[in-house]
Amino acid sequence: MLNKFETSSNRVKGIAFHPTRPWILASLHNGTVQLWDFRIRTLIDKFEEHDGPVRGVAFHNSQPLFVTGGDDYKVKVWNYKTRRCQFTLLGHLDYIRTVQFHHEYPWILSASDDQIVRIWNWQSRSCIAVLSGHNHYVMCARFHPKEDMVVTASLDQTVRVWDISGLRKKNFSPSSYGMGGMGGGDDMRGQGDLFGNTDVVVSHVLEGHDRGVNWAEFHPSLPLIISGADDRQVKLWRMNETKAWEVDTLRGHFNNVSCAIFHPRQELILSNSEDKTIRVWDMGKRVGVQTFRREHDRFWTLAAHPHRNLFAAGHDTGLVVFKLERERPAYYVHGRILFYVKERYLRSYDFATGRDNAVMTIRRSTAIGGAPRSLHYNPAEHAIIIWSENEGGSYDLYHLPKDGRSDKPAEAKRGLAASACFVARNRFALMTKSHTIVVKNLKNEVTKRVTPPDASVDTIFPATTGCVIMRSDDRCSLFDLQRKTVIAEVNAPGIKRVVWSASDKSPMVALVGRDVISIADKKLTQLCLIRENIPIKSGAWHDESVFVYTTLNHIKYCLPNGDTGIVRTLDVPIYITAVKGNKVFCLDRQGRNRALAIDPTEFLFKLALVRRDIQKVLKMVRECNLIGQSIIAYLQKKGYPEIALQFVKDDHARLNLALECGLIDVALDAAKAIDQKESWDRLAHAALQQGNQQIVEMCYQRTKSYERLSFLYLITGNTDKLAKMLKIAGMRNDLMGRLHNALFVGDVADRVDVLVTARQLPLAYMLAATHGLGEKADEILAKIESTGGDVDKLRAEAAAAASSGRLLQPCAVVQSVRDEPWPLLTVQKSMVEVMIARATDKGGAGAGAKLDAALEMESGEAGFGEDDIDIPDDGAEGFGDGEELQIPSDGEGEGDGEGWGDLEIEGLESVAVPSGGGSAGGKGGEGFFVVPRAGPSFREVWLRNSSFAADHVAAGSLESAFSLLNKQVGFVNFAPLKPHVLAIALGTRATLSAFPGTPSVLMGLNRNWQDADPTSKNNPALPLDVMQLAPLIEKLKLAYKATTGGKFSEALQHFQYIIRAIALTTVTARSELTEMKELLALSREYIQGIGIEQARKDEQAGSKNVKRICELAAYFSHCNLQPIHLMLSLRSAMNCAYKAKCFKLASSFAQRLIELNPKYEIATQAKKVVAYADKNPTDAHQLEYDERNPFVVCAGSLTPIYRGSASSQCPYCGASYTPAFEGTLCKVCELAEVGKEVSGLNALRT
């Protein structure tokens, strides 16, 4: 059984699949109806209007409706779009067991403990038929999928088949309306029931069960019925028009059979029972073929998906969605030929011609799960290996017929293996169940046995000649079978398939897992890691080295740099076999070859950008229809706004891109088109950074930013326009602007007038008097005297200021730049700009020409026309146009003008240049001394030679070290690492004393100092290992000692030191890596456990919530601690529960404590608690704690996360959190971001 989805909830009594969407309804014993998306494992909605358990639930085939029936005697019809109950059907007098929609008519069928089955018309909301005849609870009622029949099962030990054709004729036949609703002559079939109803009559009564029947159901196409009962038997019945009889009885369950159904597409029967098992039966042989068992949960219901190979079962603690076997066909692609297995044939398909041929007949097991799982082809010997999971894993080696086809069953060489693949021309390798790699020849004879270096290796995949890729717990290794050594390793957990590219120059490999893809080169160096939220089904390489893969409902692509995107959507899952040009060749789940058209433009465009093939990029821009915000955003993200600018039409987007590129003229055109203040302000800011004061001036004019204009004219020394700004301020009655401009210009008289206008007469007098404006000062003084001011005091202050003060005058203009742009540095054009210019010169028009025009800056832009501010001034020229600054070319006229005088020196022709000196710029260069170039420092050597974060810390490159930790383990908070970083920095350096009076020489300490060579790739110099595993183990012992003594604060410091030091620790052996992971897990458990205990103590000291105190004590006892500490936590939990009068809970803690074999006194106390709880099996508080249901504790909320519930993990320490904490800082390690996708910690040095 392949589990696809599992939930944790109250007991599930009813299940229903949606016919088209990946949804499933679950009706629970607590009265809740849950709607789940089993594909993405998310709870969509909950419906809670029933009072009591809900036992029946069903979806409508086409309408957004579902129906439920519960113990409140109500049938409710819901609309899942509006998320509310549409109406309620009342009529039953007892619990309702099952409900179902008719596949064609607007009918609902309901069975109840009132011994009645009712048929309702949900459109008219009325009961149209009552099926009476059972004399006990009716446990089940089901419509026939095609015929006008109903089957019911009851605890009266019978199964009844009802004919409802009369009901159909009465409600839907035109002739029935004139017959008074008598059913068109159906009274000939039998007598009416107790209520005189002849629309529905009993056709057959099936008797054979010894106890009550819990379920009965029709076969979808055959005249068969299956039933399950409390007599622990499943019975198969056959019927015809006149009678029905028992075919066979299936025995094997050990308790009541809850449900039994037919497989929709195979000759199989599924049944589940209160004996905690699901059994699969062969309908032809009448024998059980598979049994699936749960440890603690009884099963109550079963459901089959109407169109997919999916089943669901409800049990005591939730539901499980599962498959009986995998649907992926086994296939292999060689060149343009696809080999695949369909039914009992090996077939070949030619991608070029579309020809599909049967190659030969193969052996295939009929057992569930015996279908071929993988296929490998050897073109040299024309042989194939087919591996399946039959018998725990087996392979068949076939030699293909030379003439291309054989109708006779082929002989195969068989064997048992966990996996198998070809490794050479005449050799293949297999992984045995004892974890040994065996190499055999094509005669199936053993030639070599190799023991993998890692005992956790369980599968091998094909690689280059003589090598295999081995899959272990958390990584994949490239293993050389001849030398018996690991060549390379990559972090890639849970890999299921390996897909090699066909490129001979730079082959790449895609390591595909359930929801992860790792792209690596032929040396298994990881290039990128992609994670998906839903399962990845298949993948193949495009001719341009792009990996194209499928999920359940999309075809996607992945570039070698990690960029992904969607190619197209899918209606049904497919398995890609090859990608050729704009076609995807694939197999569906029925083994049919299909070719789907795709548009590869997007990923080819992005690939060209990654390869910096600008010519191809520009060609695709001109010829392909590349539009959309996603492409623009991608180009901006990758640093190519110039290219995005070529095909952007929106003015706002063009403005953003032009400003990012620094293309002021293009931005000016966009700003004119937008004509908004915000756009002009942004353009002015960018132009001011480039010193293009003409554009800045125009922007300020458009936005009427007079203060900014005045300051611009001040800093550029444009006194003429400053004088005009002074006049404008006067026309606008802007006193402050007038004062500022008068100050900038140095017009004292105007400043005096502004102060007089503002009624600041004393200030105006002081200003006039100190600047020698005698007449003006006397006029102002007279006005002050007329208002009663102190004139003598003002005269005295003015005299003192004139004698001791300095006049405030504007700075003298040294050089007026006027309208000339500020000088800019000459920079070399980027490759993109050069390629765009070349493409445009070759005749590219349209968008390319637009960008070229933007790159070639026009000289001497003409004024601003009517956009200038019109100032009435006699004889003034307005703002005018800027004159173009003429700059001579290099060397042109250098020193030729009269101003430099005569620069030549006579009389030096016969003087020889000394051989030891001079400039190296001469043509000869012989005999000149050239200073040797300094070699790389030890920091540069360490950075170049290592990819470990600790080595980058030693080199002093904290930025690259923290970037590695962010990508590998999701670190976002690096402050706690400060003491470790300082320790590494100090421990990898030494100083050597030099000559007296000179500074000491700083040198790096290498861990491989004996053979390190900075210039060699084989023995690169690497820094000393400061953080090692042995001191951390000693630190762990101190932490254990502190924990035992109850010194939790001290223990917490030790564990935090360990968990942070591990991030900067490297090891050389895989055993050490395993030990380091165990150390990390132990530290996490203790930090979280101490945090729970501290929270419990805080609760005791604060609100004293007894329920919460008991919950925290219970959670602490589930941390993975050492036995001595676990006993202490169990004693604490037992005491808390006993004091809170939760005796049953205290008993469970006591029993767990006794199992750990504590001291006699402790064991005696625990036994007394158990004995007291047996007499008083009650709990005074209902805790959020279920010890039978496995759970982990959320490190954020300190609440349980039960198995099957959604959760997120810290990518570094592995602490669990509810989804609400995703994206926050981990509270355990205080280093990583919860839920971040990472590649895994790189700590093993090979």
Side-chain angles (χ1 to χ4, degrees), residues 260-280:
I261 60 173
F262 290 102
H263 193 294
R265 283 166 292 279
Q266 298 182 29
E267 292 188 355
L268 297 174
I269 295 171
L270 283 78
S271 62
N272 63 8
S273 166
E274 296 180 37
D275 63 4
K276 307 172 186 177
T277 64
I278 299 175
R279 294 179 182 266
V280 184

Side-chain angles (χ1 to χ4, degrees), residues 636 641 645 650-662 667 670 674 682:
Q636 285 184 282
L645 192 58
D650 181 69
D651 293 320
H652 289 86
R654 287 184 63 80
L655 177 65
N656 295 333
L657 293 171
L659 292 178
E660 187 175 347
C661 299
I674 299 171
R682 293 180 60 200

Side-chain angles (χ1 to χ4, degrees), residues 821-899:
W822 297 349
L824 300 175
L825 292 175
T826 302
V827 296
Q828 185 178 4
K829 285 187 177 182
S830 67
M831 181 189 300
V832 177
E833 293 173 337
V834 172
M835 296 304 297
I836 290 174
R838 289 179 182 174
T840 307
D841 292 341
K842 292 180 181 179
K850 294 178 184 177
L851 184 58
D852 189 62
L855 291 172
E856 299 296 332
M857 305 292 287
E858 295 180 0
S859 60
E861 181 173 348
F864 300 111
E866 60 185 10
D867 297 328
D868 293 345
I869 302 175
D870 188 13
I871 305 173
D873 187 21
D874 44 355
E877 298 177 356
F879 285 155
D881 300 337
E883 296 179 357
E884 184 177 357
L885 181 63
Q886 300 294 335
I887 301 176
S889 60
D890 294 342
E892 181 183 348
E894 185 176 327
D896 294 339
E898 296 179 357

Side-chain angles (χ1 to χ4, degrees), residues 21-34:
R21 299 185 181 184
W23 292 355
I24 187 170
L25 277 170
S27 58
L28 309 185
H29 197 264
N30 63 0
T32 302
V33 179
Q34 296 178 337

Side-chain angles (χ1 to χ4, degrees), residues 84-344:
R84 64 175 57 187
C85 177
Q86 297 290 90
F87 53 88
T88 302
L89 303 174
L90 301 176
H92 283 294
L93 304 177
D94 209 334
Y95 298 167
I96 298 172
R97 294 288 180 172
T98 63
V99 289
Q100 185 188 15
F101 279 106
H102 195 276
H103 62 280
E104 182 179 356
Y105 305 134
W107 295 347
I108 294 174
L109 182 67
S110 60
S112 170
D113 284 0
D114 61 5
Q115 306 177 17
I116 297 296
V117 177
R118 291 178 179 266
I119 300 178
W120 313 79
N121 186 316
W122 59 265
Q123 290 180 342
S124 64
R125 305 182 185 182
S126 61
C127 179
I128 60 174
V130 177
L131 284 64
S132 61
H134 287 291
N135 53 29
H136 210 304
Y137 301 162
V138 182
M139 304 296 291
C140 171
R142 312 295 292 173
F143 283 118
H144 194 284
K146 297 178 181 178
E147 305 294 335
D148 293 330
M149 288 188 289
V150 170
V151 64
T152 59
S154 171
L155 293 187
D156 62 6
Q157 304 180 15
T158 65
V159 175
R160 291 177 178 249
V161 180
W162 308 75
D163 187 344
I164 59 172
S165 58
L167 184 66
R168 174 182 58 81
K169 293 176 182 178
K170 173 182 176 181
N171 286 273
F172 297 99
S173 174
S175 62
S176 65
Y177 294 107
M179 301 182 64
M182 294 300 294
D186 279 343
D187 53 279
M188 299 294 294
R189 295 293 304 273
Q191 298 294 326
D193 61 11
L194 181 63
F195 298 94
N197 179 20
T198 57
D199 299 331
V200 180
V201 296
V202 177
S203 297
H204 309 291
V205 178
L206 309 179
E207 298 177 335
H209 283 289
D210 298 330
R211 291 190 180 181
V213 185
N214 294 315
W215 199 267
E217 188 148 352
F218 289 110
H219 192 279
S221 58
L222 299 176
L224 298 175
I225 296 174
I226 193 73
S227 62
D230 288 347
D231 58 5
R232 308 176 184 179
Q233 296 177 0
V234 177
K235 288 185 178 290
L236 183 64
W237 312 81
R238 181 177 289 272
M239 64 180 180
N240 57 25
E241 294 182 356
T242 59
K243 63 177 181 178
W245 63 96
E246 179 182 337
V247 176
D248 208 342
T249 299
L250 308 177
R251 296 178 175 86
H253 283 292
F254 299 102
N255 208 329
N256 302 339
V257 178
S258 305
C259 187
I261 60 173
F262 290 102
H263 193 294
R265 283 166 292 279
Q266 298 182 29
E267 292 188 355
L268 297 174
I269 295 171
L270 283 78
S271 62
N272 63 8
S273 166
E274 296 180 37
D275 63 4
K276 307 172 186 177
T277 64
I278 299 175
R279 294 179 182 266
V280 184
W281 313 83
D282 188 313
M283 195 167 68
K285 299 179 181 178
R286 307 329 192 249
V287 295
V289 293
Q290 271 188 322
T291 301
F292 310 115
R293 187 183 305 276
R294 292 185 72 89
E295 293 297 328
H296 307 291
D297 301 321
R298 297 167 294 176
F299 286 101
W300 298 103
T301 184
L302 268 175
H305 196 284
H307 308 297
R308 299 171 60 181
N309 184 27
L310 287 175
F311 300 89
H315 51 77
D316 283 335
T317 59
L319 67 87
V320 57
V321 179
F322 62 94
K323 287 183 178 181
L324 292 181
E325 59 183 349
R326 303 183 190 274
E327 298 173 281
R328 179 190 310 277
Y331 61 88
Y332 186 89
V333 177
H334 175 67
R336 70 177 198 179
I337 303 298
L338 165 70
F339 293 97
Y340 68 101
V341 176
K342 183 177 181 181
E343 297 174 349
R344 302 191 51 157

Side-chain angles (χ1 to χ4, degrees), residues 1029 1066-1076 1243-1246:
L1029 191 60
T1066 57
V1067 294
T1068 56
R1070 187 172 296 280
S1071 59
E1072 292 179 336
L1073 180 63
T1074 303
E1075 193 172 357
M1076 190 170 73
L1244 179 62
R1245 298 197 308 268
T1246 56

Side-chain angles (χ1 to χ4, degrees), residues 665-680:
D665 287 356
V666 179
L668 176 60
D669 294 337
K672 287 180 178 179
I674 299 171
D675 197 18
Q676 294 178 357
K677 185 179 183 302
E678 181 184 359
S679 302
W680 289 116

